[in-house]
Amino acid sequence: MARFDLQHIDSGHAGGSAQTDILFEMGIMYATGRDCAVDLVAAHKWFNIAAIKGSDRAAELRAELAQSMSKSDLATALREAREWMTSH
């Protein structure tokens, strides 16, 4: 599983807006299993959305996470992110 450096996570690293920060935190939550089960598909989805919204750190973590995911899981995460973006 991917390892995340949580020492440098704060709003300055996550993104510029409150919404982007929340999306980034959703990715962290699912990637680390904080208050939920670890779900790499969901983590990638939220990191992807946060990256689209301008978070450089989310883009880095999304790429790192993708290396440990199967092609099928990656495709699912991308599809879910696309569906979320079209409905929000």
Side-chain angles (χ1 to χ4, degrees):
M1 180 187 340
R3 192 173 144 229
F4 297 98
D5 181 5
L6 300 178
Q7 296 176 25
H8 303 291
I9 295 173
D10 60 29
S11 61
H13 286 87
S17 72
Q19 181 190 32
T20 303
D21 292 345
I22 291 167
L23 297 168
F24 178 81
E25 286 298 322
M26 293 288 290
I28 291 294
M29 182 182 79
Y30 283 108
T32 62
R34 184 177 62 198
D35 299 326
C36 65
V38 171
D39 184 339
L40 300 183
V41 170
H44 189 281
K45 167 189 167 180
W46 293 115
F47 285 144
N48 192 22
I49 295 167
I52 290 167
K53 300 279 186 177
S55 173
D56 293 337
R57 184 67 178 138
E60 293 168 7
L61 293 177
R62 175 190 61 192
E64 182 179 326
L65 190 60
Q67 294 175 359
S68 64
M69 295 173 67
S70 70
K71 288 182 181 182
S72 174
D73 284 347
L74 189 55
T76 299
L78 292 170
R79 182 178 59 253
E80 289 180 7
R82 187 171 45 253
E83 288 170 359
W84 190 92
M85 291 294 293
T86 59
S87 66
H88 291 88

